[in-house]
Amino acid sequence: MEVLMPEAGSNLLIRERLVLTVLLAVQFMLILDVSVVSVAMPDIQRGLRIGAGDLQWVATSYTLAFGGLLVAAGRFGDMFERRRMFILGTALFTISSLACGLTWQAWQLFIARGVQGVGAAIVSPVALSLLTTSFAEGQKRDRVLGLWGAVASGGAVVGQVAGGVITDFLGWRWVFLINLPVGICACVAAYLLLTRETGQREASLDIVGALTLTIGSVLAVLGISHMADHGADATTSGAFAAALVSLAAFAAQERRHGDPLIRFGVFRNPSLVGGNLLSIVNGVVVMTAIFFSTIYMQHVLGYSPVEAGLAFAPVTVVILLISSQTERLVAAYGVRTLLVAGALFNVAGMLGLLMMRIDGNYWSTVLPGLMLLGTGQGLAFAPATIAATRGVPDDEQGLASGLVTTSQQLGGAVGFAVLATVAAATLPDPATADNVALIHSFRIGYLAGLALPLLSVLVALILIPGRAPESKVAAEPIPPKPAEKSRKSHSNL
């Protein structure tokens, strides 16, 4: 048995922390970019003279590329070395961020944002799979996934603040240009710190599977984006129908292919399925609360965009504090208990936000509900990711990471679009709705959304193993693979 000298152990610990810092910094950049751009949208529209009908493409072009490629990109990381894919994706995202900041016409920005989405789709699942394969299941992985959860859930809220400040003081171009130093440093650090993976399995690229999955995912995202603005009209229905046809063709292809892009046997892992379902609920709750609360503060309470962004700062602090304790909380109570507790806090938070009224104020009608939701997110976000990647072999962690990232991003977007459509349907005329009608529509949206965290309690109790069997799930991946390599704690460092 090899004995590590103290100096060698210390160097390994430093290396682990540096790698973790790089991965978290890039993930924070990706999450932040989405929310800061949404805050800067009015300034972008004025600066590039974008028509009202075309403005959606600033966000949609990014979302289509990002959401459509997540699962495939995560699987490609399993096949073609995660280090290479991480550097490629980060470089692509950084270069396209520069292009976004230098554009002078709307069509240039739309294309650059699409390329940004491709880079983000490559980086996000690969970064998560680098974490899960670099740290063995147990306390150390729970700790780093807690930090990952803090970055993922807190970054969206931080972006509301940063977007307003950057746009007001530096101009809208800097919401893209701030990515440059982070991206350049991350590429250099990844090249120096991440070692090449050895012993990866040989795989033939399933081109038909990759195309049908990507086309189906892009069409689904297009339907989601269109439904958010136009409801369930003919275009939305057509996009979803075409997506189902493409995804059905993908499923048929995977069953025939000798080395499929996605091995459907992975879904026999109940923890993975439950973690993804719970990630969808968490995404819906966050997006719904941020959207409705922001509109309430700006339209009813008269807050400026910067003030509305700063109003989310206490929620960010709560999420960061709780997520930083994930390792201890999981060790003390188990993943399932935290997921149930998080769901109950989400219910309480949505009930709290139902208190909004015309004569309300931030301290009594907004902050209490947001703080309860922040507590729920802090308790549930990282444990859902832990559950979704638990019991999965190292050579399929990219797939698992792509699935859970898709659940968090697209699942949340689907649920939010449905709730927003339900809320808007109660307005007699959305263009001329007064504050009373707006508040009524928000309450309808929150009431409809209450079913999701309540259902997530049942999902957690049924699909997520309790504390006693957890070690068994970690030790015996479901389903076992004959050719699977033994898991190593630091295979990528």
Side-chain angles (χ1 to χ4, degrees):
M1 177 179 178
E2 182 182 359
V3 178
L4 269 179
M5 297 299 290
E7 182 178 354
S10 176
N11 290 338
L12 180 59
L13 182 60
I14 293 173
R15 188 183 185 89
E16 283 184 352
R17 289 177 176 174
L18 288 173
V19 169
L20 180 60
T21 300
V22 171
L23 297 177
L24 292 179
V26 171
Q27 177 66 4
F28 184 75
M29 177 178 68
L30 300 183
I31 298 296
L32 193 72
D33 187 78
V34 175
S35 47
V36 297
V37 171
S38 66
V39 174
M41 203 76 81
D43 287 65
I44 294 174
Q45 182 179 20
R46 287 190 294 269
L48 297 181
R49 296 185 178 88
I50 303 175
D54 295 329
L55 183 62
Q56 62 169 321
W57 288 103
V58 176
T60 302
S61 57
Y62 178 90
T63 306
L64 285 175
F66 180 50
L69 292 172
L70 272 172
V71 177
R75 192 64 178 127
F76 290 159
D78 291 333
M79 295 178 174
F80 305 125
E81 192 196 6
R82 298 181 180 99
R83 172 181 178 267
R84 180 188 298 123
M85 295 292 287
F86 179 82
I87 295 174
L88 171 64
T90 303
L92 192 61
F93 185 88
T94 305
I95 294 169
S96 56
S97 295
L98 175 62
C100 288
L102 298 179
T103 53
W104 292 99
Q105 294 188 35
W107 66 269
Q108 296 171 342
L109 180 61
F110 300 157
I111 293 175
R113 284 286 284 163
V115 178
Q116 247 193 334
V118 174
I122 295 172
V123 171
S124 191
V126 171
L128 179 55
S129 65
L130 280 168
L131 282 184
T132 55
T133 55
S134 298
F135 300 93
E137 288 185 12
Q139 291 187 351
K140 184 173 283 190
R141 183 187 288 187
D142 293 344
R143 184 188 311 138
V144 299
L145 287 179
L147 296 173
W148 181 269
V151 166
S153 54
V157 182
V158 171
Q160 300 293 316
V161 181
V165 173
I166 292 171
T167 304
D168 282 353
F169 292 99
L170 297 176
W172 66 265
R173 295 183 184 277
W174 283 94
V175 303
F176 301 110
L177 297 178
I178 58 171
N179 296 328
L180 298 184
V182 179
I184 292 171
C185 291
C187 285
V188 174
Y191 180 79
L192 296 174
L193 293 172
L194 296 175
T195 58
R196 290 182 179 275
E197 294 171 301
T198 57
Q200 282 191 293
R201 67 184 184 87
E202 294 294 328
S204 59
L205 181 59
D206 181 7
I207 297 177
V208 174
L211 286 175
T212 51
L213 174 61
T214 300
I215 292 171
S217 300
V218 167
L219 288 169
V221 176
L222 181 61
I224 295 166
S225 301
H226 190 81
M227 183 170 67
D229 294 324
H230 305 282
D233 61 6
T235 302
T236 300
S237 302
F240 283 138
L244 286 175
V245 172
S246 183
L247 293 175
F250 166 73
Q253 165 68 13
E254 297 307 276
R255 289 191 176 91
R256 291 193 303 266
H257 200 276
D259 193 3
L261 190 69
I262 295 179
R263 186 179 62 83
F264 291 137
V266 73
F267 295 108
R268 292 201 294 271
N269 182 337
S271 182
L272 179 144
V273 174
N276 277 276
L277 292 175
L278 294 167
S279 294
I280 292 173
V281 173
N282 290 333
V284 176
V285 170
V286 168
M287 295 181 70
T288 302
I290 290 177
F291 180 78
F292 288 163
S293 298
T294 299
I295 294 180
Y296 174 74
M297 286 187 284
Q298 292 190 27
H299 286 262
V300 180
L301 302 184
Y303 281 27
S304 69
V306 175
E307 290 172 329
L310 289 172
F312 289 98
V315 186
T316 305
V317 173
V318 169
I319 292 174
L320 292 175
L321 288 176
I322 296 177
S323 297
S324 66
Q325 300 300 312
T326 295
E327 175 198 3
R328 295 179 182 178
L329 292 171
V330 169
Y333 302 106
V335 169
R336 184 167 67 181
T337 300
L338 293 183
L339 290 170
V340 171
L344 295 177
F345 270 102
N346 284 336
V347 170
M350 296 182 83
L351 288 173
L353 290 173
L354 282 169
M355 301 292 290
M356 64 177 68
R357 58 186 188 275
I358 288 291
D359 60 345
N361 60 74
Y362 171 71
W363 300 103
S364 64
T365 55
V366 179
L367 185 60
L370 289 181
M371 294 295 278
L372 289 168
L373 284 173
T375 302
Q377 291 299 303
L379 289 172
F381 191 96
T385 306
I386 292 171
T389 56
R390 177 165 285 178
V392 178
D394 276 359
D395 64 352
E396 291 185 328
Q397 279 293 332
L399 169 60
S401 299
L403 289 171
V404 72
T405 306
T406 302
S407 296
Q408 293 162 355
Q409 301 296 326
L410 299 190
V414 171
F416 165 69
V418 171
L419 294 183
T421 301
V422 170
T426 65
L427 295 173
D429 183 358
T432 60
D434 59 15
N435 288 339
V436 174
L438 278 176
I439 291 175
H440 175 70
S441 71
F442 294 165
R443 287 174 176 166
I444 296 298
Y446 280 128
L447 283 172
L450 277 174
L452 294 175
L454 289 173
L455 286 174
S456 69
V457 173
L458 296 177
V459 171
L461 293 175
I462 294 172
L463 295 179
I464 308 301
R467 292 189 64 191
E470 278 179 10
S471 60
K472 182 177 180 181
V473 173
E476 298 177 10
I478 303 175
K481 296 177 66 179
E484 183 185 335
K485 304 184 297 291
S486 62
R487 186 185 303 276
K488 293 187 179 180
S489 180
H490 307 290
S491 59
N492 290 316
L493 300 182

